[in-house]
Amino acid sequence: MPVSAPRPCSFPTCNALVRDGSGRCDKHPRAAWVKVKPVARITGRRLQAMRAALFRRDPLCVECRRQGRAVPATQRDHVIPLAEGGLDDESNEQGLCEACHDAKSTLEAQRGRRRTSGGR
């Protein structure tokens, strides 16, 4: 006797019926979940000192300056995101304005979703 009512496979565009309650057919198994060790982030007073030093050293948004604009930097950003192997130190930081930081963060989030979903 089946465990649950047959349902379509949850993989996009697959209509195969699944009878075992897993949600996926044999052709589209779920990837094994792997716990990734998070990168240790700098926090507290050390982080605040690093932010202040960055903005003293380079007070303008790096991306706006490339486009010929002079906009103050308000966000400490990692050039290579920590999730993609970047370091949390001075060699991997830049100052961005809020608009440029939001745009860069959106692109990074999209890349992260593609990475975890297997490129779908």
Side-chain angles (χ1 to χ4, degrees):
M1 180 176 276
V3 175
S4 61
R7 302 187 129 181
C9 174
S10 62
F11 188 83
T13 70
C14 181
N15 293 322
L17 290 178
V18 179
R19 298 178 187 340
D20 64 1
S22 68
R24 293 287 182 104
C25 67
D26 293 337
K27 293 179 186 175
H28 304 110
R30 291 192 188 276
W33 185 78
V34 178
K35 185 172 183 175
V36 178
K37 183 180 177 192
V39 176
R41 288 181 169 266
I42 296 172
T43 60
R45 291 184 185 194
R46 184 172 170 212
L47 173 62
Q48 296 306 314
M50 288 177 75
R51 286 183 84 247
L54 170 66
F55 297 144
R56 273 194 306 274
R57 206 172 47 244
D58 196 6
L60 298 178
C61 172
V62 173
E63 189 59 38
C64 288
R65 194 170 49 218
R66 275 191 205 119
Q67 298 173 9
R69 299 179 302 202
V71 178
T74 58
Q75 306 286 322
R76 176 183 177 257
D77 179 67
H78 294 99
V79 177
I80 301 170
L82 299 180
E84 295 176 9
L87 301 174
D88 197 6
D89 64 10
E90 288 183 22
S91 68
N92 189 37
E93 69 180 5
Q94 65 183 353
L96 294 177
C97 66
E98 191 167 352
C100 290
H101 185 265
D102 289 347
K104 183 175 181 274
S105 295
T106 299
L107 292 174
E108 290 169 358
Q110 289 172 349
R111 279 198 315 263
R113 283 192 292 275
R114 277 195 304 269
R115 244 190 340 267
T116 58
S117 69
R120 279 186 277 146

